Amino acid sequence: MTDIERLRPEIEKALKYSLNTHTFDDVAELVQQAKMQLWPGKSSVIVTEIVLYPQHKCLNYFIAAGVMDELALMTPMIESWGKGLGCARVTLAGRKGWQRTFLAQRGYTPQWWIMSKEL
């Protein structure tokens, strides 16, 4: 069994908050195409993407799910990888609760709230 299949339940749990932008199969395909990066842990998973803006390159955490302590151990390596690729910033959008995690201790601050409305 591949890592992405093993971690499918965690990925699908996180995707419930994405307002139906992606399915598990979409994420698996983007990882296969190297448009997203899969960072598997023992019980956790992170999926990142590199976003190219006109003025800089950004490492974006697309999915982070699983055990908070394990996620905290995974992020320094991922951020070092992004910096090595020339990313000037790391971003994530997530539930408000993320601001009470290890991220605040590592210098992450809320910049804006993302809101949406179905038409």
Side-chain angles (χ1 to χ4, degrees), residues 65-110:
V67 179
M68 199 60 64
D69 289 342
E70 187 175 29
L71 293 170
L73 291 172
M74 295 167 69
T75 57
M77 175 190 62
I78 296 168
E79 291 170 9
S80 177
W81 174 82
K83 187 173 182 175
L85 289 179
C87 293
R89 181 172 291 137
V90 60
T91 59
L92 62 94
R95 294 177 294 149
K96 189 176 181 179
W98 278 103
Q99 71 183 352
R100 295 186 310 270
T101 69
F102 66 93
L103 295 174
Q105 298 165 2
R106 294 192 183 164
Y108 284 77
T109 58

Side-chain angles (χ1 to χ4, degrees), residues 17-42:
Y17 296 98
S18 73
L19 300 176
N20 299 313
T21 62
H22 296 71
T23 65
F24 172 82
D25 291 335
D26 295 330
V27 173
E29 180 66 23
L30 290 165
V31 167
Q32 176 74 26
Q33 295 173 0
K35 293 180 180 177
M36 287 186 168
Q37 303 77 41
L38 180 74
W39 304 91
K42 182 177 178 182

